[in-house]
Amino acid sequence: MGQRSAPPRSAGGAAVDTENYRSIWMYLKEVAFTQGFTDIEVHGAVVPTRYAEAGLRDKPHLVLLHGTGGHWETFAPNLGTLSEHFHCVAIDMVGNGFSGKPDYDYEIAVYREHVLKVMDYFGMDKAHFIGMSLGAWVSAAIAVSHPDRVSRMILMSPAGKEAVASNMARIRAERTKAVNEPTWESLYAVFEHLIADEANRLPDLIGLRRAIYERADTRETIDHLLILQDAAARERNLIPEEQWRSITAPVMVVASGRDLGVYQDTATAIAELIPGAEIFDMPGVRHWPHFEDPESFNPAAVAFLAK
C-alpha cells in the first residue's frame, strides 16, 4: 500500500485547499488585461509607472488605488468583474510597488499629482475611484481638490481623517523590519494585519511583496514611503472635516468588521461627514475587504458605481 502524502501547506502552515485553489493568476486567467509601464512626470521627476488596464475604453472609467507599500495585484479578484462594466486602470502609485521611487517624500499632493497625470495619460476626463487605505485617502483628496474629475467613489479601510500614534508606529516598525529583513516570515507578519483569514493570505501576495521589499530602490526610499507615519507630516496631510463635508461625489464607505479600530472609526466618521454617503458592511474581513471577500464586494461595487 502506498504511503499517503501530507497535504500541501500555505505560507503560514495551514493546509492548502486544493479543491478550491486560489492564486493571483487563478483570478486573472480569463481576464483580458494589459500590464505595462509608462513614464509619468511627478513633482519634477520622471516616474516609470506600472499599471494594469482592463475593460473597453468606451466604458465608464474606473481608477483603482492600493494602500501603503502596495501594488495593483490587490485588485486581482475584482478586475474581471469590474472590467465587464468599466474601463479599469489599477496602478502602483509613485514610490510603491514596482513603480519608480524618486528621492523625495511621498505626501498626499505627490500621490494626487501622479494619479491625475495617469488619468490624463489614459484620456480620463472623469472617473470612478476605488481606493483602499492610502488609496482611499488619495481618492478623497482628489474629490476635494478636483471634484470635476470624480464620478463616484468607494472608500475601503479609509485613512486621512486622523492620526493615531500607536497605529503609525506599528506600520513604521512592520514595514521597516520587512524591508531590512525581507524574509518570508517578516512579510507574512505584514499580512496578518491586512487579511483576517489565513487561507486568504495567498503565497503569491507574500512573494510579490517580498520581491518589492528586496529591491534596492525600496530600501533606499523607505523613509520617503513612510513619511505619512510621522506625526507632523501626517497632520499637515489630513483632510479637515469641512473638506470631507465638501465632497459632492456619491460615496460608498466599506466598513470592515475585523479591521483595526482606527480604520473602523474613520469609516464611520467620514460616512457621517460626507453628504449622502452609504455604508456597506463586511463584518468578516480586515483591511483588504475586496480581496478577502470578492463574492460580496464585486456585485456591491458594480451596483453602486453603475447607479
Side-chain angles (χ1 to χ4, degrees), residues 178-212:
V179 168
N180 290 333
E181 304 171 23
T183 64
W184 196 269
E185 292 73 21
S186 66
L187 271 298
Y188 189 84
V190 170
F191 281 91
E192 289 180 333
H193 288 108
L194 301 179
I195 295 176
D197 186 348
E198 182 179 342
N200 290 323
R201 301 171 198 155
L202 304 185
D204 284 359
L205 290 177
I206 314 299
L208 275 168
R209 192 64 66 99
R210 186 182 187 185
I212 292 166

Side-chain angles (χ1 to χ4, degrees), residues 65 93 111-119 129 138 142:
L65 302 178
M93 290 191 288
Y111 289 122
R112 180 175 57 202
E113 179 185 348
H114 186 212
V115 173
L116 288 170
K117 287 185 175 178
V118 167
M119 291 177 67
F129 282 79
V138 175
I142 292 172

Side-chain angles (χ1 to χ4, degrees), residues 247-267:
I247 292 175
T248 55
V251 172
M252 183 173 85
V253 179
V254 177
S256 301
R258 298 178 67 183
D259 205 356
L260 294 175
V262 58
Y263 299 107
Q264 295 183 43
D265 294 344
T266 299

